[in-house]
Amino acid sequence: MERGEKKYNFAPCDIAGVVRETLESYRPHLEAGGFKLECDLPAAPLFVNGDRDALAQIVVNLVSNAEKYSGERKEARVEVRQQSLPLPHVEVRVLDRGLGVPKGCEEKIFEQFYRAHDSLSNGIQGSGLGLTLARQIARAHGGDIVCEPRPGGGSCFVLRLPAPPVSNKNAHE
């Protein structure tokens, strides 16, 4: 992927549907571990130009990250929203009430193998590549992933993907 040799199958894709299907397939694993997952997804499709499997991988990586770093509060929320400013885009937000990201590490956590917490001594498993890969995929799609602090504790990871402007057919008639 780093060499730019990863080929994506770009096509119009309902990101809300991708998130819904991915979460439903991942939900039994989460619930078996006592994890509570809330979803706030639109009923109508939200289209982006993307590789369906690659976008699903981003969702899995972000939810898996929320699960790993949830600490005692095993809960997360996933939201999907259409945004119009500054340019039309879709946001997929994964919010947790876990350990949060230490101040000053908001960009470092996207580096390969970087782990913000003493994950190994806390028994948190993983390679330290999930966020790196998720961001690489997002950027290959013309988007990005950012980490924002969450008031009340925890983290908010935001996937932003460019979306076609919402058409208003009446304006052209």
Side-chain angles (χ1 to χ4, degrees):
M1 203 180 307
E2 282 184 342
R3 292 189 305 270
E5 296 172 4
K6 169 72 176 135
K7 299 289 184 232
Y8 294 100
N9 297 313
F10 287 96
C13 161
D14 170 19
I15 188 65
V18 169
V19 170
R20 183 176 292 107
E21 292 165 19
T22 303
L23 294 178
E24 287 311 309
S25 66
Y26 203 62
R27 187 182 295 276
H29 164 78
L30 292 171
E31 290 177 349
F35 203 86
K36 180 182 173 206
L37 180 65
E38 278 184 48
C39 300
D40 185 0
L41 309 176
L46 292 177
F47 287 98
V48 298
N49 188 34
D51 181 308
R52 191 173 184 80
D53 292 338
L55 295 175
Q57 184 63 55
I58 293 174
V59 175
V60 167
N61 288 8
L62 293 179
V63 173
S64 173
N65 205 59
E67 176 190 18
K68 285 178 198 167
Y69 293 96
S70 65
E72 297 297 315
R73 294 181 72 179
K74 296 181 172 198
E75 59 186 66
R77 178 177 175 81
V78 179
E79 304 171 350
V80 178
R81 299 272 186 278
Q82 177 88 38
Q83 303 290 339
S84 57
L85 297 172
L87 294 171
H89 67 282
V90 173
E91 288 187 352
V92 177
R93 302 170 77 82
V94 178
L95 303 99
D96 66 59
R97 289 289 183 198
L99 305 173
V101 175
K103 195 154 184 66
C105 294
E106 296 86 357
E107 279 301 309
K108 287 182 184 177
I109 58 172
F110 292 100
E111 295 173 7
Q112 288 184 16
F113 311 116
Y114 184 82
R115 308 208 35 197
H117 297 281
D118 192 4
S119 309
L120 296 175
S121 66
N122 288 336
I124 298 172
Q125 300 200 356
S127 63
L129 290 173
L131 291 176
T132 303
L133 293 172
R135 180 175 258 184
Q136 286 176 348
I137 295 167
R139 287 182 171 175
H141 282 74
D144 204 357
I145 297 177
V146 297
C147 176
E148 300 174 348
R150 186 172 183 200
S155 301
C156 175
F157 285 87
V158 185
L159 165 63
R160 292 187 178 107
L161 296 168
V166 177
S167 64
N168 183 350
K169 292 182 181 177
N170 293 333
H172 300 292
E173 294 177 353

